[in-house]
Amino acid sequence: MKLPLSLLLLSYLASASLSSPTNQVRWCVKSEKEYRKCLDLVTKAPVFSCVSELNSLACIEAINEGKADAITLDGGDIYTAGLEHYKLHPIIAEHYGDSSEGCYYAVAVVKKGSGFGIRDLRHKRSCHTGLRKSAGWDIPIGTLLQLGIMQWGGIDDSPIEYVVGEFFSSSCVPGAQRNSSLCRNCKGDCSRSHNEPYYDYGGAFQCLVDNAGDVAFVKHLTVPEEEKAKYELLCKDNTRAAIDDYEKCNLARVPADAVVTRQDKDLANLIWNSLMGVQGFELFSSKAYAPDKNLMFKDYTKKLVRLPNNTDSFVYLGAQYMAIVRSLNNEFTTSKSKTMTWCAVGHEETKKCDTWSLYSLAKNKDKIACESASTVEECLKMIMRKEADAMAVDGGEVYVAGLCGLVPAMVEQYDEEKCSIPGASDSSFYTVAVVRKGSGVTWANLRQKKSCYPGYGRNVGWNMPMAIIHRETGDCDFTKFFSSGCAPGAPAGSPFCSQCVGNGKPVDNPAWCKASTEEFYYGYAGAFRCLVDGAGDVAFIKHTTVEENTNGKGADWTKDIQSSDYELICPEQSGSVPITEFTSCRMGITPAHAVVTRPETRDDVVSVLLNQQGVFGRDVSNSFFTMFESRPYKNLLFQDSTKCLQEIPKGTDFKGFLKINYMDTIASLSECNDIIPDLEKLCTFHTCQ
C-alpha cells in the first residue's frame, strides 16, 4: 500500500531533521544544577541549547534519536553509547594536564589509619561513583574479581550486583536497585544523577568523608589538595600509599571522559567549533552551583582535545578496558564455547577460511567461524569490537595491535624440529633487500629507484628498510628518496601506489594498491613479483621469499624464474652478494608472525588453535585441508612456511614478544607521523593501555 504524499513528505522532513546538520548544539544534562549551568552557558554562547534527561542512558537515547546532540561521558557510558543499538562516537576528550597523557587513574581511597588493605575489603562499606561507571564500578569490581578477592561464577550463577552486595556490608552505588544494600548508604534517591548527593567522583568521596563508607572508588584527581594528608590509597599488593602516589598505587589507567555524538562529521565539527568559541564562561568550573561538582565537564579539566577522525568507542577505550567491561557484562568467551571467529583479509583468504570452517564442523572439533575485511587494520578493529576473535599478523601489525590493547597468543614456528620442544625459541625472519643480478643497483645508489614492499607499515617490508633510510637521511618524506613503488595499503595518490597493479585489470580495478591478496603485489611473494615484473628495482622481503618462489616452486607466475638471477644488497656493504648470504647481508632480524586476540579470549584461542592444528596441521594425514598451505596462492591466513603454532607464554605483551631490538627500530620511525598507520594513531592518542 502506498502512503499519501503528505505522509511521505512528513516522514522525509522528520528523518531530515534528525540527520541534517543544525546551527545549534543541544547539550544533554542530567540534573537541575547542570541544567542551570547549561542555561548560563547559552547566555554567553547562543549556539548551545539545553535538553534535560533523567540520567546518562536517557541522554544516550536522546542523542541517538536526534532529540539532543552531545554529552560528556565516562568510559562505562562511552561503552554503552558505542553499542550497536546507539552507535554514538567519542569526538572530544577531556585533558587533565600534562601528567595525565589523556588518561586518569582509578583508585581506592580510604581514611588514613583505618588499618586495612584491599584484601580486607569484605564486609566493609563502599562508596561508588555510579553503577557501570569506570572508576567507581567497572575497574574496582573487575580488579577484585581478577585478584580473587571477590568470587563470581558468572550471570548463570547470580547477577554481579548481588555478589557485590553480599561482599560489602553496605554501599552507595548510585543507579543500583533502591531497595538493595547497594543503595543503603546513599543520602538521596540513589539515582545515577546529581539528585543523589553521593553520585559521581565528588559524591563518592563525600560519602567517605561523611563516614557513610570505608572506601571510595574514584579517580586520582578527586581528593582536594587540602584534604590529601587525611587519606591514603589502597594498592593491589595489599599495601597503602599516599594520595599523590597514584602512578604506583592504582587499580588501572582509564581513558579520559569524552564528548559523544552521532556519526555525523558536520555535527562533530559544529560541536568542536562551538566549544572552542565559548568566551566569558568557565566550562570547567562548577563553583557557582555548589555543592554540586563536575557539571557538564570535570572541574579539573585543563582543556579539550579533538579526537582523530573515525574514533569509535571501542578503539578509544582500548581492548584491556573493554575486557573488564565485557567480563562484568558476562560477554566474555568461556571455556564452554566451541566457536572461534577468524578474520580473513580479502576474497582468497575468506575462501580458505570458509573451507577451514566447513572441515572444522565436519571433524566435530571446535568450530571455526569466519569474518572478512578489506585490510588488516579493519580486521584488528573487528577483533577489538568482538566481531571477530583472532588473526595472524606480522611483527609490525603485532605492534599496532598491541598499542590497541590486543595480545599475542600463538606464534608461527618455521623450524619443524622445534615443534616438538615445549618452550622452544621463536622463529624469526631476516629482512633483506633483493635486486636483479647484474642490475648494478646497490644500497649506495638506491636513491630515486623504484621499490617493492609486502605492504605499507609491514614489519619486514616497510619498517625495517625505512628505519634504516630514516637514520641515514633524517627525512621522513620517503618519496624524496624513492621515485615510486608499490606498498599495498599506502594512502591513495601516494607514489608508493603508482607501481601497483591490483588484480591486473586495466579498468574497474578496486584491488589496486589494496593491502589484500587481490593486489598481485601484496605480501612477500607479491613484493618479489613486483621486482620480477620490472615494476621495481629493489624488493624488501624476508630471506626465504626468493627460494620459495623460484626453481619450480610457487604459483604459475614463478615458472622459469631461477633464484640465481637475484642477489642481495647490504646497508653496510658496497656491491651485492648471493641470496644465500642473508645472515651477513640483512637489514635486521624480525619476529615471526603471531596470532593476536583480545586479552579475555587469549586462553580460548590457544586451546582452539592447538586442537585445530592437531586435525589440520602439517603432520596430520589429511588430504582435504591443511591450515598452513595456500595453493595456488601464497600465505593465506598463515605463512606457508609455518610448521606449527606454538603458545606464547601467558602474560607476554607485544613489547615482550617483539623484543627490544625491534622496539628500538619502531621508535626510530615514531617521529614520522605521516607514515604512521591510522589505527596506530587512533590507539596512541592516549597511552592508557
Side-chain angles (χ1 to χ4, degrees):
M1 183 180 71
K2 290 186 177 181
L3 290 173
L5 182 60
S6 59
L7 287 180
L8 285 172
L9 180 59
L10 285 172
S11 175
Y12 169 78
L13 291 174
S15 64
S17 68
L18 295 184
S19 59
S20 61
T22 175
N23 59 0
Q24 274 213 320
V25 176
R26 296 166 295 174
W27 203 272
C28 197
V29 297
K30 302 171 293 181
S31 70
E32 181 183 347
K33 292 286 185 69
E34 203 167 48
Y35 188 62
R36 279 180 52 197
K37 180 177 179 179
C38 183
L39 290 178
D40 290 342
L41 169 63
V42 172
T43 64
K44 299 292 184 180
V47 68
F48 291 96
S49 60
C50 310
V51 176
S52 182
E53 295 289 350
L54 289 175
N55 50 43
S56 296
L57 181 59
C59 280
I60 290 169
E61 291 173 342
I63 296 170
N64 175 60
E65 294 167 3
K67 299 174 182 177
D69 298 317
I71 186 176
T72 307
L73 299 175
D74 89 326
D77 290 327
I78 291 171
Y79 169 80
T80 301
L83 294 174
E84 185 70 21
H85 185 63
Y86 305 114
K87 284 189 175 179
L88 304 187
H89 279 211
I91 59 168
I92 301 165
E94 295 180 342
H95 197 281
Y96 308 125
D98 293 338
S99 62
S100 72
E101 297 179 318
C103 314
Y104 65 83
Y105 294 86
V107 295
V109 178
V110 294
K111 290 181 178 178
K112 184 176 266 188
S114 51
F116 58 87
I118 196 170
R119 292 193 171 275
D120 307 310
L121 284 180
R122 183 178 292 277
H123 302 315
K124 296 291 189 293
R125 299 168 302 156
S126 58
C127 304
H128 305 254
T129 61
L131 188 69
R132 303 297 178 193
K133 290 181 76 69
S134 297
W137 181 267
D138 290 346
I139 298 300
I141 303 308
T143 298
L144 293 174
L145 291 171
Q146 289 175 346
L147 295 176
I149 299 169
M150 183 187 293
Q151 306 296 325
W152 183 42
I155 194 67
D156 293 336
D157 180 29
S158 58
I160 186 62
E161 292 88 343
Y162 176 82
V163 173
V164 176
E166 290 288 301
F167 181 83
F168 293 111
S169 64
S170 59
S171 307
C172 179
V173 185
Q177 292 269 350
R178 294 184 183 181
N179 60 352
S180 72
S181 66
L182 296 182
C183 282
R184 189 175 300 156
N185 295 353
C186 289
K187 196 173 183 178
D189 61 2
C190 195
S191 66
R192 231 185 69 153
S193 75
H194 292 286
N195 295 325
E196 167 53 60
Y198 291 162
Y199 168 69
D200 209 3
Y201 304 106
F205 177 63
Q206 192 62 44
C207 168
L208 177 64
V209 172
D210 292 348
N211 200 35
D214 303 304
V215 60
F217 298 111
V218 291
K219 65 169 59 173
H220 73 286
L221 298 164
T222 302
V223 181
E225 188 67 35
E226 64 274 12
E227 297 288 315
K228 288 181 178 179
K230 302 176 185 178
Y231 298 91
E232 294 178 308
L233 302 177
L234 297 183
C235 311
K236 287 193 284 189
D237 63 1
N238 212 40
T239 63
R240 288 188 175 206
I243 292 295
D244 285 334
D245 286 341
Y246 52 81
E247 289 188 13
K248 295 181 180 178
C249 179
N250 62 76
L251 306 182
R253 297 184 75 191
V254 184
D257 292 10
V259 177
V260 303
T261 188
R262 297 180 296 281
Q263 292 176 262
D264 184 327
K265 184 178 178 181
D266 292 332
L267 178 57
N269 289 334
L270 175 65
I271 294 169
W272 170 254
N273 292 332
S274 299
L275 288 170
M276 291 301 99
V278 172
Q279 295 182 354
F281 185 83
E282 295 186 56
L283 281 174
F284 313 134
S285 174
S286 304
K287 289 181 181 178
Y289 317 95
D292 288 15
K293 298 179 179 180
N294 304 319
L295 302 178
M296 298 183 67
F297 298 93
K298 296 297 173 282
D299 293 344
Y300 36 77
T301 302
K302 302 300 181 184
K303 62 181 179 180
L304 298 176
V305 180
R306 185 77 182 263
L307 297 177
N309 292 332
N310 302 319
T311 302
D312 65 22
S313 295
F314 305 133
V315 170
Y316 180 71
L317 294 173
Q320 293 181 16
Y321 179 82
M322 293 291 295
I324 293 173
V325 176
R326 288 182 178 127
S327 68
L328 294 179
N329 290 340
N330 198 46
E331 293 182 30
F332 55 90
T333 306
T334 68
S335 58
K336 296 177 183 179
S337 174
K338 294 296 181 182
T339 301
M340 178 185 70
T341 302
W342 197 265
C343 196
V345 178
H347 179 66
E348 297 303 331
E349 278 205 348
T350 302
K351 282 173 58 179
K352 179 179 177 180
C353 189
D354 288 341
T355 303
W356 185 12
S357 177
L358 287 171
Y359 281 113
S360 72
L361 187 62
K363 289 292 184 178
N364 216 11
K365 280 286 184 182
D366 297 335
K367 184 184 175 184
I368 301 299
C370 301
E371 287 289 346
S372 64
S374 59
T375 66
V376 171
E377 280 198 7
E378 287 304 315
C379 267
L380 293 178
K381 287 181 182 178
M382 291 178 72
I383 294 171
M384 294 172 69
R385 296 184 189 117
K386 205 187 171 190
E387 296 167 359
D389 295 317
M391 72 180 304
V393 294
D394 88 337
E397 293 153 345
V398 170
Y399 176 77
V400 174
L403 291 172
C404 296
L406 302 182
V407 296
M410 300 198 80
V411 61
E412 294 179 347
Q413 177 59 260
Y414 311 121
D415 185 339
E416 194 162 0
E417 292 183 1
K418 291 183 178 179
C419 285
S420 58
I421 305 174
S425 59
D426 296 343
S427 288
S428 56
F429 298 130
Y430 292 98
T431 307
V432 296
V434 179
V435 298
R436 289 181 292 277
K437 192 171 185 177
S439 65
V441 176
T442 68
W443 195 273
N445 64 18
L446 265 185
R447 193 178 290 272
Q448 294 306 304
K449 297 295 191 293
K450 297 177 296 182
S451 47
C452 305
Y453 311 82
Y456 188 74
R458 289 282 292 270
N459 202 10
V460 168
W462 182 268
N463 293 337
M464 285 293 185
M466 294 317 200
I468 293 172
I469 291 168
H470 179 251
R471 285 198 296 265
E472 290 179 357
T473 65
D475 194 341
C476 291
D477 186 356
F478 299 114
T479 63
K480 295 178 183 176
F481 191 90
F482 292 106
S483 64
S484 60
C486 180
S494 165
F496 292 111
C497 277
S498 62
Q499 297 297 324
C500 296
V501 293
N503 56 18
K505 294 181 180 179
V507 293
D508 189 23
N509 194 344
W512 182 74
C513 202
K514 297 297 183 184
S516 75
T517 52
E518 277 67 61
E519 164 59 64
F520 288 168
Y521 291 166
Y522 174 70
Y524 302 114
F528 180 52
R529 183 176 185 177
C530 168
L531 175 68
V532 170
D533 289 351
D537 302 304
V538 59
F540 299 110
I541 49 182
K542 61 180 180 177
H543 72 282
T544 59
T545 302
V546 176
E547 287 288 356
E548 291 168 352
N549 293 277
T550 56
N551 307 327
K553 304 173 189 173
D556 290 343
W557 65 267
T558 66
K559 189 171 65 172
D560 300 328
I561 300 174
Q562 301 299 311
S563 61
S564 58
D565 292 333
Y566 297 88
E567 52 193 5
L568 307 179
I569 58 174
C570 327
E572 298 173 357
Q573 301 177 29
S574 60
S576 57
V577 300
I579 61 167
T580 54
E581 302 296 320
F582 52 82
T583 56
S584 60
C585 182
R586 56 181 169 81
M587 288 173 283
I589 300 177
T590 305
H593 289 211
V595 176
V596 295
T597 186
R598 298 181 301 281
E600 74 270 23
T601 53
R602 182 260 177 208
D603 291 351
D604 291 325
V605 166
V606 170
S607 174
V608 170
L609 286 175
L610 287 174
N611 286 336
Q612 288 295 303
Q613 74 175 359
V615 179
F616 303 115
R618 284 202 178 276
D619 295 333
V620 179
S621 177
N622 180 359
S623 59
F624 303 107
F625 176 78
T626 303
M627 290 168 61
F628 312 128
E629 289 184 2
S630 307
R631 295 179 211 159
Y633 297 92
K634 277 284 186 180
N635 304 319
L636 301 180
L637 305 182
F638 303 96
Q639 295 299 293
D640 292 348
S641 54
T642 303
K643 306 303 180 187
C644 67
L645 297 174
Q646 292 183 310
E647 181 178 358
I648 296 170
K650 193 170 184 177
T652 303
D653 64 7
F654 73 104
K655 295 178 182 177
F657 172 73
L658 293 173
K659 308 292 190 301
I660 191 165
N661 288 339
Y662 179 73
M663 294 301 296
D664 288 344
T665 300
I666 289 291
S668 71
L669 289 177
S670 61
E671 64 186 75
C672 298
N673 188 64
D674 288 346
I675 68 165
I676 294 175
D678 287 342
L679 183 58
E680 182 177 339
K681 291 178 183 177
L682 292 177
C683 291
T684 53
F685 172 79
H686 58 68
T687 55
C688 307
Q689 296 294 343

